[in-house]
Amino acid sequence: MLTTRRQAIKTLAAATLGTSLAQFSTQAADTNSSVLVMPGATPAAPEPPPTGPYTMPPLPYGYGGLEPMIDAQTVELHYTKHHAAYVAKLNEAVAKVPSLAKKTNLEEMLKNLSAVPESIRTAVRNNGGGHYNHSLMWQTFSPHGGGFPPGDLTMPICNTFVSFEKFRDECVTAANGLFGSGWVWLVLDHAKKLSVMTTPNQDSPLSVGKYPLFGIDVWEHAYYLKYHNVRSDYISALWNVVDWVVVTKRYGLAMQA
Ligand SMILES: [Fe+2]
């Protein structure tokens, strides 16, 4: 009986040692560590996930700040999960290219995607676009939003779309006509002319020579918890939280550029 018990202990110890060594080997391979860690010793803390030049912008209001138009749970998930994932994946992508690892001018990269190394171009297009689009979106919402833009923007909107109501109608039509996921935008072109356009996925208007003033996220993650499949109800509610002062300032700066 004693022999059998000793054998069992030896077998268990050998198995544990083998497992520990295997884990150690994996850790060493993962971290490129050259420091030996004896089995049973406390292993070094794992390296933090890749960080990079891109960080989350602070949310200008609480998760519930846009209630009841946009519910707190949607804002929290949208910001902490979806937007944060774009930032993390963008940092992972640029970390693979030393010349880009410190670059922080995302706008310039999106304007000239063809200059981004092909190996990470799609990742920058999707995740860089996602980061840029969402960063813009959060700052153009406000708990005190809604109403009409200041005159500096109302005038050109009316000159372009006949009226502010018709501009909103055009946005709703574009949103309802967008198949799958994407964005509806109010943009300026090189001739400083306003228009409404859509982009698929997380593509930025910057990548097609347009400057985005305001964007409506029509991915289902932006509205499904509250509005389910009725995208048009989400758009109708959204107008009540648009910070037209911010959008108008953006328009003014773009017109001076
Ligand atoms: Fe989104």
Side-chain angles (χ1 to χ4, degrees):
M1 177 66 75
L2 186 59
T3 303
T4 305
R5 193 173 169 205
R6 280 180 180 158
Q7 284 174 338
I9 291 171
K10 280 183 180 177
T11 304
L12 179 61
T16 304
L17 179 60
T19 303
S20 298
L21 287 172
Q23 287 173 341
F24 163 68
S25 298
T26 305
Q27 286 171 351
D30 286 348
T31 61
N32 260 345
S33 171
S34 59
V35 179
L36 290 175
V37 179
M38 291 303 294
T42 303
E47 289 191 351
T51 57
Y54 303 100
T55 56
M56 291 289 287
L59 200 61
Y61 31 77
Y63 296 138
L66 304 178
E67 289 267 15
M69 305 308 166
I70 306 178
D71 59 287
Q73 188 181 13
T74 292
V75 172
E76 181 174 1
L77 288 171
H78 204 165
Y79 178 77
T80 64
K81 302 297 181 187
H82 296 279
H83 187 171
Y86 296 126
V87 173
K89 289 175 183 174
L90 175 61
N91 283 328
E92 283 177 18
V94 297
K96 297 173 184 171
V97 179
S99 62
L100 290 178
K102 292 185 179 177
K103 184 167 185 176
T104 55
N105 195 332
L106 180 58
E107 196 167 300
E108 288 304 316
M109 274 210 293
L110 293 171
K111 281 180 182 174
N112 193 11
L113 278 174
S114 61
V116 176
E118 193 172 358
S119 60
I120 63 164
R121 192 176 300 153
T122 299
V124 169
R125 177 180 175 178
N126 292 337
N127 299 297
H131 178 33
Y132 184 90
N133 296 343
H134 287 86
S135 298
L136 172 58
M137 180 186 74
W138 300 125
Q139 65 175 281
T140 57
F141 287 159
S142 166
H144 311 294
F148 295 89
D152 288 352
L153 185 55
T154 293
M155 288 280 285
I157 282 180
C158 291
N159 288 340
T160 304
F161 303 99
V162 176
S163 68
F164 184 64
E165 289 72 21
K166 287 196 180 297
F167 153 69
R168 295 199 314 193
D169 290 346
E170 192 162 324
C171 290
V172 172
T173 300
N176 288 333
L178 181 60
F179 182 77
S181 299
W183 290 73
V184 175
W185 300 98
L186 174 64
V187 296
L188 271 178
D189 64 16
H190 287 306
K192 311 285 188 186
K193 188 177 183 317
L194 288 171
S195 63
V196 167
M197 67 174 289
T198 62
T199 56
N201 306 314
Q202 292 296 347
D203 286 3
S204 168
L206 293 169
S207 304
V208 290
K210 304 290 176 65
Y211 186 73
L213 300 174
F214 164 66
I216 301 173
D217 184 347
V218 290
W219 284 58
E220 286 187 343
H221 67 228
Y223 62 88
Y224 207 85
L225 287 180
K226 182 177 177 73
Y227 297 98
H228 305 148
N229 61 324
V230 190
R231 185 182 278 183
S232 56
D233 282 357
Y234 154 67
I235 307 286
S236 296
L238 193 76
W239 299 119
N240 295 298
V241 292
V242 177
D243 190 338
W244 288 113
V245 173
V246 169
V247 178
T248 302
K249 282 181 183 169
R250 198 170 168 82
Y251 171 75
L253 289 172
M255 291 299 285
Q256 292 169 13

